[in-house]
Short mmCIF file of all heavy atoms in Angstrom, two decimals:
data_model
loop_
_atom_site.label_atom_id
_atom_site.label_comp_id
_atom_site.label_asym_id
_atom_site.label_seq_id
_atom_site.Cartn_x
_atom_site.Cartn_y
_atom_site.Cartn_z
N GLU A 484 96.04 109.56 85.17
CA GLU A 484 97.48 109.68 84.91
C GLU A 484 97.93 111.05 84.68
O GLU A 484 98.88 111.55 85.28
CB GLU A 484 97.81 108.85 83.63
CG GLU A 484 97.72 107.37 83.81
CD GLU A 484 97.96 106.63 82.44
OE1 GLU A 484 98.17 107.17 81.48
OE2 GLU A 484 97.89 105.31 82.52
N LEU A 485 97.15 111.84 83.92
CA LEU A 485 97.59 113.24 83.63
C LEU A 485 97.36 114.17 84.75
O LEU A 485 98.27 115.04 85.07
CB LEU A 485 96.73 113.75 82.47
CG LEU A 485 97.03 113.08 81.17
CD1 LEU A 485 96.06 113.57 80.02
CD2 LEU A 485 98.50 113.43 80.72
N PHE A 486 96.22 114.18 85.50
CA PHE A 486 95.88 115.10 86.42
C PHE A 486 96.11 114.74 87.86
O PHE A 486 96.21 115.58 88.78
CB PHE A 486 94.44 115.61 86.20
CG PHE A 486 94.18 116.11 84.86
CD1 PHE A 486 93.30 115.49 83.99
CD2 PHE A 486 94.79 117.35 84.40
CE1 PHE A 486 93.13 115.95 82.71
CE2 PHE A 486 94.50 117.81 83.21
CZ PHE A 486 93.74 117.16 82.26
N CYS A 487 96.14 113.45 88.14
CA CYS A 487 96.21 112.94 89.55
C CYS A 487 97.54 112.23 89.78
O CYS A 487 97.83 111.79 90.88
CB CYS A 487 95.15 112.11 89.88
SG CYS A 487 93.47 112.92 89.73
N ASP A 488 98.30 112.02 88.71
CA ASP A 488 99.57 111.29 88.73
C ASP A 488 99.30 109.87 89.42
O ASP A 488 100.12 109.32 90.16
CB ASP A 488 100.67 112.04 89.56
CG ASP A 488 102.00 111.49 89.28
OD1 ASP A 488 102.25 111.05 88.13
OD2 ASP A 488 102.80 111.50 90.33
N ILE A 489 98.26 109.26 89.05
CA ILE A 489 97.90 107.85 89.46
C ILE A 489 98.10 106.99 88.23
O ILE A 489 97.45 107.07 87.20
CB ILE A 489 96.48 107.76 89.93
CG1 ILE A 489 96.24 108.69 91.16
CG2 ILE A 489 96.12 106.36 90.23
CD1 ILE A 489 94.84 108.80 91.63
N LYS A 490 99.00 106.09 88.40
CA LYS A 490 99.32 105.10 87.35
C LYS A 490 98.97 103.76 87.79
O LYS A 490 99.24 103.34 88.98
CB LYS A 490 100.70 105.23 86.87
CG LYS A 490 101.09 106.56 86.19
CD LYS A 490 102.54 106.67 85.91
CE LYS A 490 102.95 107.92 85.23
NZ LYS A 490 102.47 109.16 85.69
N THR A 491 98.26 102.99 86.95
CA THR A 491 97.85 101.60 87.29
C THR A 491 98.31 100.63 86.26
O THR A 491 98.38 100.94 85.05
CB THR A 491 96.37 101.55 87.47
OG1 THR A 491 95.70 101.97 86.21
CG2 THR A 491 95.87 102.38 88.61
N THR A 492 98.55 99.45 86.61
CA THR A 492 98.82 98.39 85.64
C THR A 492 97.43 98.02 85.08
O THR A 492 96.35 98.38 85.60
CB THR A 492 99.43 97.05 86.31
OG1 THR A 492 98.51 96.59 87.22
CG2 THR A 492 100.70 97.47 86.99
N ASN A 493 97.42 97.24 83.99
CA ASN A 493 96.21 96.80 83.33
C ASN A 493 95.39 95.90 84.35
O ASN A 493 94.21 96.16 84.46
CB ASN A 493 96.49 96.04 82.11
CG ASN A 493 96.85 96.87 80.87
OD1 ASN A 493 96.61 98.09 80.85
ND2 ASN A 493 97.61 96.32 80.00
N LYS A 494 96.06 95.05 85.08
CA LYS A 494 95.41 94.22 86.00
C LYS A 494 94.81 95.08 87.09
O LYS A 494 93.59 94.83 87.53
CB LYS A 494 96.27 93.10 86.57
CG LYS A 494 95.61 92.17 87.52
CD LYS A 494 96.52 91.10 87.94
CE LYS A 494 95.80 90.11 88.91
NZ LYS A 494 96.58 89.04 89.31
N GLU A 495 95.54 96.03 87.65
CA GLU A 495 94.95 96.89 88.67
C GLU A 495 93.79 97.66 88.21
O GLU A 495 92.81 97.81 88.99
CB GLU A 495 96.05 97.93 89.19
CG GLU A 495 97.22 97.25 89.92
CD GLU A 495 98.34 98.25 90.20
OE1 GLU A 495 98.54 99.15 89.36
OE2 GLU A 495 99.07 98.00 91.17
N TRP A 496 93.80 98.06 87.02
CA TRP A 496 92.71 98.87 86.42
C TRP A 496 91.51 98.02 86.37
O TRP A 496 90.35 98.54 86.73
CB TRP A 496 93.07 99.44 85.02
CG TRP A 496 92.03 100.27 84.42
CD1 TRP A 496 91.12 99.90 83.41
CD2 TRP A 496 91.49 101.55 84.90
NE1 TRP A 496 90.25 100.87 83.20
CE2 TRP A 496 90.46 101.92 84.10
CE3 TRP A 496 91.89 102.44 85.89
CZ2 TRP A 496 89.76 103.15 84.24
CZ3 TRP A 496 91.29 103.61 86.04
CH2 TRP A 496 90.16 103.95 85.24
N HIS A 497 91.65 96.82 85.96
CA HIS A 497 90.51 95.89 85.73
C HIS A 497 89.93 95.54 87.17
O HIS A 497 88.70 95.38 87.32
CB HIS A 497 90.83 94.73 84.91
CG HIS A 497 91.09 95.09 83.53
ND1 HIS A 497 90.19 95.73 82.67
CD2 HIS A 497 92.24 94.86 82.75
CE1 HIS A 497 90.67 95.93 81.47
NE2 HIS A 497 91.91 95.46 81.46
N LEU A 498 90.83 95.36 88.16
CA LEU A 498 90.37 95.07 89.50
C LEU A 498 89.50 96.23 90.02
O LEU A 498 88.48 96.04 90.74
CB LEU A 498 91.55 94.76 90.37
CG LEU A 498 92.22 93.39 90.16
CD1 LEU A 498 93.43 93.28 90.90
CD2 LEU A 498 91.20 92.29 90.62
N LEU A 499 89.99 97.44 89.78
CA LEU A 499 89.17 98.67 90.21
C LEU A 499 87.87 98.65 89.54
O LEU A 499 86.87 99.01 90.20
CB LEU A 499 89.99 100.00 89.83
CG LEU A 499 91.15 100.25 90.73
CD1 LEU A 499 91.97 101.44 90.03
CD2 LEU A 499 90.63 100.74 92.12
N ASN A 500 87.79 98.42 88.18
CA ASN A 500 86.55 98.29 87.59
C ASN A 500 85.62 97.21 88.06
O ASN A 500 84.44 97.46 88.24
CB ASN A 500 86.76 98.16 86.03
CG ASN A 500 87.13 99.43 85.39
OD1 ASN A 500 86.29 100.39 85.31
ND2 ASN A 500 88.32 99.61 84.96
N LEU A 501 86.18 96.09 88.37
CA LEU A 501 85.38 94.94 88.95
C LEU A 501 84.76 95.43 90.29
O LEU A 501 83.59 95.19 90.47
CB LEU A 501 86.30 93.79 89.11
CG LEU A 501 85.58 92.60 89.67
CD1 LEU A 501 84.55 91.97 88.70
CD2 LEU A 501 86.57 91.46 89.93
N LYS A 502 85.58 96.06 91.15
CA LYS A 502 85.10 96.45 92.45
C LYS A 502 83.93 97.52 92.28
O LYS A 502 82.95 97.37 93.01
CB LYS A 502 86.27 97.09 93.18
CG LYS A 502 85.95 97.57 94.60
CD LYS A 502 87.18 98.11 95.31
CE LYS A 502 86.94 98.46 96.76
NZ LYS A 502 86.03 99.54 97.00
N PHE A 503 84.16 98.47 91.37
CA PHE A 503 83.12 99.45 91.12
C PHE A 503 81.78 98.80 90.67
O PHE A 503 80.67 99.09 91.13
CB PHE A 503 83.61 100.44 90.14
CG PHE A 503 82.48 101.33 89.72
CD1 PHE A 503 82.05 102.47 90.50
CD2 PHE A 503 81.72 101.20 88.55
CE1 PHE A 503 80.97 103.25 90.13
CE2 PHE A 503 80.70 102.01 88.08
CZ PHE A 503 80.39 103.07 88.96
N LEU A 504 81.90 97.93 89.66
CA LEU A 504 80.79 97.32 89.12
C LEU A 504 79.95 96.40 90.16
O LEU A 504 78.70 96.40 90.24
CB LEU A 504 81.04 96.40 87.92
CG LEU A 504 81.49 97.22 86.66
CD1 LEU A 504 82.10 96.30 85.68
CD2 LEU A 504 80.28 97.99 86.10
N LYS A 505 80.77 95.76 91.05
CA LYS A 505 80.10 94.92 92.04
C LYS A 505 79.45 95.78 93.12
O LYS A 505 78.43 95.44 93.76
CB LYS A 505 81.21 94.05 92.76
CG LYS A 505 81.49 92.79 91.84
CD LYS A 505 82.47 91.84 92.53
CE LYS A 505 82.68 90.64 91.66
NZ LYS A 505 83.45 89.66 92.35
N GLU A 506 80.07 96.92 93.42
CA GLU A 506 79.51 97.71 94.51
C GLU A 506 78.43 98.78 94.14
O GLU A 506 77.74 99.27 94.99
CB GLU A 506 80.62 98.43 95.18
CG GLU A 506 81.58 97.47 96.03
CD GLU A 506 82.80 98.26 96.60
OE1 GLU A 506 82.92 99.44 96.44
OE2 GLU A 506 83.59 97.50 97.25
N HIS A 507 78.26 99.05 92.86
CA HIS A 507 77.43 100.10 92.27
C HIS A 507 76.01 99.42 92.24
O HIS A 507 75.77 98.28 91.82
CB HIS A 507 77.83 100.51 90.99
CG HIS A 507 76.90 101.53 90.34
ND1 HIS A 507 75.79 101.07 89.60
CD2 HIS A 507 76.72 102.90 90.51
CE1 HIS A 507 75.11 102.19 89.23
NE2 HIS A 507 75.64 103.22 89.80
N HIS A 508 75.04 100.23 92.68
CA HIS A 508 73.64 99.83 92.64
C HIS A 508 72.80 100.99 92.08
O HIS A 508 72.85 102.08 92.57
CB HIS A 508 73.06 99.41 94.03
CG HIS A 508 73.82 98.28 94.65
ND1 HIS A 508 73.81 97.00 94.25
CD2 HIS A 508 74.79 98.37 95.66
CE1 HIS A 508 74.50 96.22 94.98
NE2 HIS A 508 75.16 97.01 95.80
N PHE A 509 72.00 100.64 91.02
CA PHE A 509 71.10 101.67 90.49
C PHE A 509 69.92 101.86 91.52
O PHE A 509 69.49 100.90 92.16
CB PHE A 509 70.51 101.20 89.17
CG PHE A 509 71.65 101.24 88.11
CD1 PHE A 509 72.17 99.99 87.66
CD2 PHE A 509 72.07 102.33 87.56
CE1 PHE A 509 73.09 99.97 86.73
CE2 PHE A 509 73.04 102.33 86.54
CZ PHE A 509 73.57 101.19 86.12
N ARG A 510 69.44 103.03 91.57
CA ARG A 510 68.37 103.37 92.49
C ARG A 510 67.03 103.62 91.79
O ARG A 510 66.02 103.37 92.38
CB ARG A 510 68.76 104.60 93.37
CG ARG A 510 69.91 104.28 94.26
CD ARG A 510 70.48 105.49 94.94
NE ARG A 510 71.75 105.25 95.65
CZ ARG A 510 71.98 105.08 96.89
NH1 ARG A 510 70.96 105.19 97.73
NH2 ARG A 510 73.14 104.83 97.33
N SER A 511 67.14 104.18 90.59
CA SER A 511 65.86 104.45 89.90
C SER A 511 65.37 103.20 89.20
O SER A 511 66.08 102.28 88.96
CB SER A 511 66.13 105.53 88.82
OG SER A 511 66.92 104.99 87.75
N ASP A 512 64.07 103.15 88.88
CA ASP A 512 63.43 102.05 88.23
C ASP A 512 64.02 101.83 86.88
O ASP A 512 64.33 100.78 86.38
CB ASP A 512 61.90 102.26 88.08
CG ASP A 512 61.19 102.18 89.36
OD1 ASP A 512 61.67 101.46 90.33
OD2 ASP A 512 59.99 102.62 89.50
N TYR A 513 64.31 102.93 86.19
CA TYR A 513 64.98 102.90 84.85
C TYR A 513 66.34 102.19 84.99
O TYR A 513 66.67 101.34 84.19
CB TYR A 513 65.10 104.31 84.27
CG TYR A 513 65.81 104.22 82.97
CD1 TYR A 513 65.24 103.85 81.81
CD2 TYR A 513 67.26 104.70 82.86
CE1 TYR A 513 65.95 103.81 80.64
CE2 TYR A 513 67.86 104.66 81.76
CZ TYR A 513 67.32 104.24 80.53
OH TYR A 513 67.95 104.19 79.40
N GLY A 514 67.14 102.63 85.87
CA GLY A 514 68.43 102.09 86.11
C GLY A 514 68.36 100.56 86.41
O GLY A 514 69.10 99.74 85.81
N LYS A 515 67.48 100.18 87.34
CA LYS A 515 67.32 98.85 87.76
C LYS A 515 66.82 97.98 86.61
O LYS A 515 67.28 96.81 86.46
CB LYS A 515 66.33 98.69 88.91
CG LYS A 515 66.84 99.36 90.21
CD LYS A 515 65.87 99.32 91.32
CE LYS A 515 66.37 99.95 92.56
NZ LYS A 515 65.28 100.02 93.60
N GLN A 516 65.91 98.53 85.76
CA GLN A 516 65.27 97.67 84.74
C GLN A 516 66.03 97.66 83.47
O GLN A 516 66.07 96.68 82.73
CB GLN A 516 63.81 98.15 84.48
CG GLN A 516 62.97 97.93 85.73
CD GLN A 516 61.61 98.56 85.51
OE1 GLN A 516 61.33 99.25 84.57
NE2 GLN A 516 60.81 98.54 86.60
N THR A 517 66.73 98.83 83.06
CA THR A 517 67.35 98.96 81.81
C THR A 517 68.87 98.88 81.90
O THR A 517 69.49 98.20 81.15
CB THR A 517 66.85 100.25 81.18
OG1 THR A 517 65.46 100.30 81.20
CG2 THR A 517 67.46 100.44 79.73
N LEU A 518 69.46 99.73 82.80
CA LEU A 518 70.89 99.89 82.76
C LEU A 518 71.57 98.72 83.42
O LEU A 518 72.76 98.49 83.14
CB LEU A 518 71.25 101.15 83.48
CG LEU A 518 70.72 102.41 82.92
CD1 LEU A 518 71.13 103.70 83.67
CD2 LEU A 518 71.21 102.59 81.34
N GLU A 519 70.89 98.02 84.33
CA GLU A 519 71.46 96.97 85.07
C GLU A 519 71.94 95.82 84.06
O GLU A 519 72.89 95.07 84.37
CB GLU A 519 70.49 96.31 86.11
CG GLU A 519 71.06 95.13 86.94
CD GLU A 519 72.11 95.62 87.88
OE1 GLU A 519 72.25 96.83 88.28
OE2 GLU A 519 72.96 94.69 88.24
#
């Protein structure tokens, strides 16, 4: 909002987070076993 002048509704924000979480994959063993 401050630096990029990008404003989102709460629903849009949560949809962006959902997309990120679904598309993100850990590559290290630690990430796969612990952070996942």
Side-chain angles (χ1 to χ4, degrees):
E484 289 174 358
L485 290 173
F486 301 113
C487 303
D488 197 34
I489 298 173
K490 294 177 177 44
T491 59
T492 65
N493 287 334
K494 185 175 181 179
E495 290 170 334
W496 181 252
H497 293 302
L498 286 169
L499 284 169
N500 280 290
L501 182 65
K502 182 178 186 294
F503 171 78
L504 289 168
K505 284 184 172 183
E506 293 178 359
H507 177 268
H508 301 284
F509 291 105
R510 296 172 191 251
S511 68
D512 288 337
Y513 175 77
K515 290 175 184 176
Q516 295 169 2
T517 306
L518 301 177
E519 183 68 26

